Coordinates of all heavy atoms in Angstrom, one line a residue:
D327 N 14.7 28.0 -43.5 CA 15.8 27.8 -42.3 C 15.0 27.4 -41.1 O 14.2 28.1 -40.5 CB 16.6 29.0 -42.1 CG 17.6 28.8 -41.0 OD1 18.0 27.7 -40.7 OD2 18.1 29.9 -40.6
P328 N 15.4 26.1 -40.5 CA 14.6 25.7 -39.2 C 15.4 26.0 -38.0 O 15.0 25.5 -36.9 CB 14.6 24.2 -39.5 CG 15.9 23.9 -40.2 CD 16.2 25.1 -41.1
S329 N 16.5 26.8 -38.1 CA 17.3 27.1 -36.9 C 16.6 27.6 -35.7 O 16.9 27.2 -34.6 CB 18.4 28.2 -37.3 OG 19.2 27.6 -38.3
A330 N 15.6 28.5 -35.8 CA 14.9 29.0 -34.7 C 14.1 28.0 -34.0 O 14.2 27.9 -32.7 CB 14.0 30.2 -35.1
L331 N 13.5 27.1 -34.7 CA 12.7 26.0 -34.1 C 13.6 25.0 -33.5 O 13.3 24.4 -32.4 CB 11.8 25.3 -35.2 CG 10.5 26.0 -35.4 CD1 9.8 25.3 -36.6 CD2 9.6 25.9 -34.1
I332 N 14.8 24.6 -34.0 CA 15.7 23.7 -33.5 C 16.2 24.3 -32.2 O 16.3 23.6 -31.1 CB 16.9 23.5 -34.4 CG1 16.4 22.7 -35.7 CG2 18.0 22.7 -33.8 CD1 17.3 22.5 -36.8
A333 N 16.5 25.6 -32.2 CA 16.9 26.3 -30.9 C 15.8 26.2 -29.7 O 16.2 25.9 -28.6 CB 17.4 27.7 -31.1
Q334 N 14.6 26.4 -30.2 CA 13.4 26.3 -29.3 C 13.4 24.8 -28.8 O 13.2 24.7 -27.6 CB 12.2 26.7 -30.0 CG 10.9 26.7 -29.1 CD 9.7 27.0 -30.0 OE1 9.8 27.6 -31.1 NE2 8.6 26.8 -29.4
G335 N 13.5 23.9 -29.6 CA 13.5 22.4 -29.2 C 14.6 22.2 -28.3 O 14.4 21.5 -27.4
D336 N 15.8 22.7 -28.6 CA 17.0 22.4 -27.7 C 16.8 23.0 -26.3 O 17.1 22.3 -25.3 CB 18.3 23.0 -28.4 CG 18.7 22.2 -29.5 OD1 18.2 21.0 -29.8 OD2 19.6 22.7 -30.2
E337 N 16.2 24.1 -26.2 CA 15.9 24.6 -24.9 C 14.9 24.0 -24.1 O 15.0 23.7 -22.9 CB 15.4 26.2 -25.1 CG 15.2 26.9 -23.8 CD 16.4 27.1 -22.9 OE1 17.6 27.1 -23.4 OE2 16.1 27.2 -21.7
A338 N 13.8 23.5 -24.8 CA 12.8 22.7 -24.2 C 13.4 21.3 -23.7 O 13.1 20.8 -22.6 CB 11.6 22.4 -25.1
F339 N 14.2 20.7 -24.6 CA 14.9 19.5 -24.3 C 15.8 19.6 -23.1 O 15.8 18.7 -22.2 CB 15.6 18.9 -25.5 CG 16.1 17.6 -25.3 CD1 15.3 16.5 -25.4 CD2 17.5 17.3 -24.9 CE1 15.7 15.2 -25.2 CE2 17.9 16.0 -24.7 CZ 17.1 15.0 -24.8
R340 N 16.5 20.8 -23.0 CA 17.4 20.9 -21.8 C 16.6 21.0 -20.6 O 16.9 20.3 -19.6 CB 18.1 22.2 -22.0 CG 19.2 22.5 -20.8 CD 19.6 24.0 -20.7 NE 18.4 24.9 -20.8 CZ 17.8 25.1 -19.7 NH1 17.9 24.6 -18.6 NH2 16.8 26.2 -19.7
A341 N 15.4 21.6 -20.6 CA 14.5 21.7 -19.4 C 13.9 20.4 -19.0 O 13.8 20.0 -18.0 CB 13.4 22.7 -19.7
A342 N 13.6 19.6 -20.1 CA 13.1 18.2 -19.8 C 14.2 17.3 -19.2 O 13.8 16.6 -18.2 CB 12.6 17.6 -21.1
S343 N 15.4 17.5 -19.7 CA 16.5 16.8 -19.2 C 16.8 17.1 -17.7 O 17.1 16.3 -16.9 CB 17.6 16.9 -19.9 OG 17.6 16.4 -21.3
E344 N 16.6 18.4 -17.4 CA 16.8 18.8 -16.0 C 15.8 18.3 -15.0 O 16.1 17.9 -14.0 CB 16.8 20.4 -15.9 CG 18.0 21.0 -16.5 CD 18.0 22.5 -16.5 OE1 17.0 23.1 -16.0 OE2 18.9 23.1 -17.0
A345 N 14.5 18.3 -15.6 CA 13.4 17.6 -14.8 C 13.7 16.1 -14.6 O 13.4 15.6 -13.6 CB 12.1 17.9 -15.5
H346 N 14.2 15.5 -15.6 CA 14.4 14.1 -15.6 C 15.6 13.8 -14.5 O 15.4 12.9 -13.7 CB 14.9 13.6 -17.0 CG 15.1 12.1 -17.0 ND1 16.3 11.6 -17.1 CD2 14.3 11.0 -17.0 CE1 16.3 10.2 -17.1 NE2 15.0 9.9 -17.0
H347 N 16.5 14.6 -14.6 CA 17.6 14.5 -13.6 C 17.1 14.7 -12.1 O 17.4 14.0 -11.3 CB 18.7 15.6 -13.9 CG 19.9 15.5 -12.9 ND1 20.8 14.5 -13.0 CD2 20.1 16.3 -11.9 CE1 21.7 14.6 -12.0 NE2 21.4 15.8 -11.4
E348 N 16.1 15.6 -12.0 CA 15.5 15.8 -10.7 C 14.8 14.6 -10.3 O 14.8 14.2 -9.1 CB 14.6 17.0 -10.8 CG 13.8 17.3 -9.5 CD 12.9 18.5 -9.5 OE1 13.1 19.4 -10.4 OE2 11.9 18.5 -8.8
A349 N 14.0 13.9 -11.3 CA 13.2 12.7 -11.0 C 14.3 11.7 -10.5 O 13.9 10.8 -9.6 CB 12.5 12.3 -12.2
L350 N 15.4 11.5 -11.2 CA 16.4 10.5 -10.9 C 16.9 10.7 -9.4 O 17.1 9.7 -8.7 CB 17.6 10.5 -11.8 CG 17.2 10.0 -13.3 CD1 18.4 10.2 -14.1 CD2 16.8 8.5 -13.2
Q351 N 17.1 12.0 -9.0 CA 17.5 12.3 -7.7 C 16.5 11.9 -6.7 O 16.8 11.4 -5.6 CB 18.0 13.7 -7.5 CG 19.2 14.1 -8.2 CD 19.5 15.6 -8.3 OE1 18.6 16.5 -8.1 NE2 20.7 15.9 -8.3
M352 N 15.3 12.3 -7.0 CA 14.1 11.9 -6.1 C 14.0 10.4 -5.9 O 13.8 10.0 -4.8 CB 12.8 12.5 -6.6 CG 12.7 14.1 -6.6 SD 11.4 14.7 -7.5 CE 10.0 14.2 -6.5
E353 N 14.1 9.7 -7.0 CA 14.1 8.3 -7.0 C 15.2 7.7 -6.1 O 15.0 6.8 -5.2 CB 14.1 7.7 -8.4 CG 13.6 6.3 -8.4 CD 14.6 5.3 -8.4 OE1 15.8 5.6 -8.7 OE2 14.3 4.1 -8.0
A354 N 16.3 8.2 -6.2 CA 17.5 7.7 -5.4 C 17.3 8.0 -3.9 O 17.8 7.2 -3.1 CB 18.8 8.4 -5.8
Q355 N 16.5 9.1 -3.6 CA 16.3 9.4 -2.2 C 15.1 8.6 -1.7 O 14.7 8.8 -0.5 CB 16.0 10.9 -2.1 CG 17.2 11.7 -2.5 CD 16.8 13.2 -2.7 OE1 15.7 13.6 -2.5 NE2 17.9 14.0 -2.9
G356 N 14.3 7.9 -2.6 CA 13.2 7.2 -2.1 C 12.0 7.9 -2.0 O 11.0 7.4 -1.4
V357 N 11.9 9.1 -2.6 CA 10.7 9.9 -2.6 C 9.9 10.0 -3.9 O 8.9 10.7 -3.9 CB 11.0 11.3 -2.1 CG1 11.6 11.4 -0.7 CG2 11.9 12.1 -3.1
L358 N 10.2 9.1 -4.8 CA 9.6 9.1 -6.1 C 9.0 7.7 -6.4 O 9.9 6.8 -6.5 CB 10.4 9.7 -7.2 CG 9.8 9.8 -8.5 CD1 8.7 11.0 -8.5 CD2 10.8 10.2 -9.6
G359 N 7.8 7.5 -6.5 CA 7.3 6.3 -7.0 C 7.4 6.1 -8.5 O 7.8 7.1 -9.2
C360 N 7.0 5.0 -9.0 CA 7.0 4.8 -10.3 C 5.6 4.4 -10.8 O 5.0 3.4 -10.2 CB 8.0 3.7 -10.8 SG 8.1 3.4 -12.5
G361 N 5.1 5.0 -11.8 CA 3.7 4.6 -12.2 C 3.7 4.9 -13.8 O 4.6 5.3 -14.4
L362 N 2.5 4.8 -14.3 CA 2.3 5.0 -15.8 C 2.6 6.3 -16.2 O 3.1 6.6 -17.3 CB 0.8 4.6 -16.1 CG 0.5 4.5 -17.6 CD1 1.5 3.6 -18.2 CD2 -0.9 4.1 -17.8
L363 N 2.3 7.4 -15.3 CA 2.6 8.8 -15.7 C 4.0 9.0 -15.9 O 4.4 9.6 -16.9 CB 2.1 9.7 -14.6 CG 2.1 11.1 -15.0 CD1 1.3 11.6 -16.2 CD2 1.6 12.0 -13.7
L364 N 4.9 8.5 -15.1 CA 6.3 8.6 -15.2 C 6.9 7.9 -16.4 O 7.8 8.4 -17.1 CB 7.0 8.3 -13.9 CG 8.6 8.6 -13.9 CD1 8.9 10.1 -14.2 CD2 9.2 8.1 -12.5
I365 N 6.3 6.7 -16.6 CA 6.7 5.9 -17.7 C 6.4 6.7 -19.0 O 7.1 6.6 -19.9 CB 6.0 4.4 -17.7 CG1 6.7 3.7 -16.5 CG2 6.3 3.8 -19.0 CD1 6.0 2.4 -16.2
H366 N 5.2 7.2 -19.0 CA 4.8 8.0 -20.2 C 5.7 9.2 -20.4 O 6.1 9.5 -21.5 CB 3.4 8.5 -20.0 CG 2.8 9.4 -21.1 ND1 2.7 9.0 -22.4 CD2 2.5 10.7 -21.1 CE1 2.2 9.9 -23.2 NE2 2.1 11.0 -22.4
A367 N 6.2 9.9 -19.4 CA 7.1 10.9 -19.5 C 8.4 10.5 -20.0 O 9.0 11.2 -20.9 CB 7.3 11.6 -18.0
E368 N 8.8 9.4 -19.5 CA 10.1 8.8 -20.1 C 10.0 8.5 -21.5 O 11.0 8.7 -22.3 CB 10.5 7.5 -19.3 CG 10.8 7.7 -17.8 CD 12.3 8.1 -17.6 OE1 13.1 7.6 -18.5 OE2 12.6 8.8 -16.7
T369 N 8.9 8.0 -21.9 CA 8.7 7.5 -23.4 C 8.8 8.8 -24.3 O 9.4 8.8 -25.3 CB 7.4 6.9 -23.6 OG1 7.3 5.7 -22.8 CG2 7.1 6.5 -24.9
I370 N 8.1 9.9 -23.9 CA 8.2 11.1 -24.7 C 9.5 11.7 -24.6 O 10.0 12.1 -25.7 CB 7.2 12.1 -24.1 CG1 5.7 11.7 -24.3 CG2 7.3 13.5 -24.8 CD1 4.7 12.5 -23.6
L371 N 10.3 11.7 -23.5 CA 11.7 12.2 -23.5 C 12.5 11.3 -24.5 O 13.3 11.9 -25.2 CB 12.2 12.1 -22.1 CG 13.6 12.7 -21.9 CD1 13.7 14.1 -22.3 CD2 14.0 12.4 -20.4
I372 N 12.4 10.1 -24.4 CA 13.2 9.2 -25.3 C 12.9 9.5 -26.8 O 13.8 9.6 -27.6 CB 13.0 7.7 -24.9 CG1 13.6 7.4 -23.6 CG2 13.6 6.8 -26.1 CD1 13.2 6.1 -23.1
S373 N 11.7 9.7 -27.2 CA 11.3 10.0 -28.5 C 11.9 11.3 -29.0 O 12.4 11.4 -30.1 CB 9.8 9.9 -28.8 OG 9.1 10.8 -28.1
A374 N 11.8 12.3 -28.1 CA 12.3 13.6 -28.4 C 13.9 13.5 -28.5 O 14.5 14.0 -29.5 CB 12.0 14.6 -27.3
E375 N 14.5 12.7 -27.7 CA 16.0 12.5 -27.8 C 16.4 11.8 -29.1 O 17.3 12.2 -29.7 CB 16.5 11.7 -26.6 CG 18.0 11.6 -26.6 CD 18.5 10.9 -25.3 OE1 17.7 10.1 -24.7 OE2 19.6 11.2 -24.9
T376 N 15.6 10.9 -29.6 CA 15.8 10.1 -30.8 C 15.7 11.1 -32.0 O 16.6 11.2 -32.8 CB 14.9 8.9 -31.0 OG1 15.0 8.1 -29.9 CG2 15.1 8.2 -32.3
I377 N 14.5 11.9 -31.9 CA 14.4 12.9 -33.1 C 15.6 13.9 -33.1 O 16.1 14.3 -34.1 CB 13.1 13.5 -33.0 CG1 12.0 12.5 -33.2 CG2 12.9 14.7 -34.0 CD1 10.5 13.0 -32.8
K378 N 15.9 14.3 -31.9 CA 17.1 15.3 -31.7 C 18.3 14.8 -32.4 O 19.1 15.4 -33.1 CB 17.3 15.8 -30.3 CG 18.4 16.6 -29.9 CD 18.5 16.9 -28.5 CE 19.8 17.6 -28.1 NZ 19.8 19.0 -28.5
G379 N 18.6 13.5 -32.1 CA 19.8 12.8 -32.7 C 19.7 12.7 -34.2 O 20.9 12.9 -34.8
L380 N 18.6 12.5 -34.7 CA 18.6 12.3 -36.1 C 18.3 13.6 -36.9 O 18.4 13.6 -38.0 CB 17.3 11.4 -36.4 CG 17.4 9.8 -36.0 CD1 16.2 9.2 -36.1 CD2 18.6 9.2 -36.7
L381 N 17.9 14.6 -36.1 CA 17.6 15.9 -36.7 C 18.6 16.5 -37.8 O 18.2 16.9 -38.9 CB 17.2 17.0 -35.7 CG 16.6 18.2 -36.1 CD1 15.2 17.9 -36.7 CD2 16.4 19.1 -34.9
P382 N 19.8 16.6 -37.4 CA 20.8 17.2 -38.4 C 20.8 16.4 -39.7 O 20.8 17.1 -40.8 CB 22.1 17.1 -37.7 CG 21.9 17.0 -36.3 CD 20.6 16.3 -36.1
T383 N 20.7 15.1 -39.6 CA 20.7 14.4 -40.9 C 19.4 14.6 -41.7 O 19.5 14.7 -42.9 CB 21.0 12.9 -40.7 OG1 22.2 12.7 -40.0 CG2 21.0 12.1 -41.9
I384 N 18.3 14.6 -41.0 CA 17.0 14.7 -41.7 C 16.9 16.1 -42.2 O 16.5 16.2 -43.4 CB 15.9 14.4 -40.7 CG1 15.9 13.0 -40.3 CG2 14.5 14.9 -41.3 CD1 14.9 12.7 -39.1
V385 N 17.4 17.1 -41.5 CA 17.2 18.5 -42.1 C 18.2 18.6 -43.2 O 17.8 19.2 -44.2 CB 17.6 19.5 -41.0 CG1 17.8 20.9 -41.5 CG2 16.5 19.5 -39.9
E386 N 19.3 18.0 -43.2 CA 20.2 18.2 -44.4 C 19.6 17.5 -45.6 O 19.6 18.0 -46.7 CB 21.6 17.5 -44.1 CG 22.5 17.5 -45.2 CD 23.8 16.8 -44.9 OE1 24.1 16.6 -43.7 OE2 24.5 16.4 -45.8
L387 N 19.1 16.3 -45.4 CA 18.5 15.5 -46.5 C 17.2 16.3 -47.0 O 16.9 16.3 -48.2 CB 18.1 14.1 -46.1 CG 19.3 13.2 -45.8 CD1 18.8 11.9 -45.2 CD2 20.1 13.0 -47.1
A388 N 16.4 16.8 -46.2 CA 15.2 17.6 -46.6 C 15.6 18.8 -47.4 O 15.0 19.2 -48.3 CB 14.3 17.9 -45.3
G389 N 16.7 19.5 -46.9 CA 17.2 20.7 -47.6 C 17.7 20.3 -49.1 O 17.4 21.0 -49.9
R390 N 18.3 19.2 -49.2 CA 18.9 18.7 -50.5 C 17.7 18.4 -51.4 O 17.6 18.8 -52.6 CB 19.7 17.5 -50.3 CG 21.1 17.7 -49.8 CD 21.8 16.4 -49.9 NE 23.1 16.5 -49.0 CZ 23.8 15.5 -48.8 NH1 23.5 14.3 -49.3 NH2 24.9 15.6 -48.0
M391 N 16.6 17.8 -50.9 CA 15.5 17.5 -51.7 C 14.8 18.6 -52.1 O 14.2 18.8 -53.2 CB 14.5 16.5 -50.9 CG 15.0 15.1 -50.6 SD 14.0 14.1 -49.7 CE 12.5 14.1 -50.6

Side-chain angles (χ1 to χ4, degrees):
D327 180 18
S329 298
L331 276 172
I332 293 171
Q334 180 182 347
D336 288 345
E337 180 64 25
F339 188 81
R340 182 196 55 75
S343 295
E344 287 176 3
H346 183 253
H347 181 73
E348 181 182 331
L350 291 173
Q351 289 177 330
M352 291 169 68
E353 198 267 337
Q355 296 167 358
V357 296
L358 183 69
C360 182
L362 189 56
L363 186 61
L364 186 57
I365 293 168
H366 177 62
E368 293 277 332
T369 302
I370 294 173
L371 182 61
I372 290 166
S373 67
E375 185 174 28
T376 300
I377 294 168
K378 178 181 171 65
L380 295 171
L381 190 62
T383 301
I384 294 171
V385 166
E386 179 185 339
L387 293 174
R390 286 185 195 172
M391 288 176 61

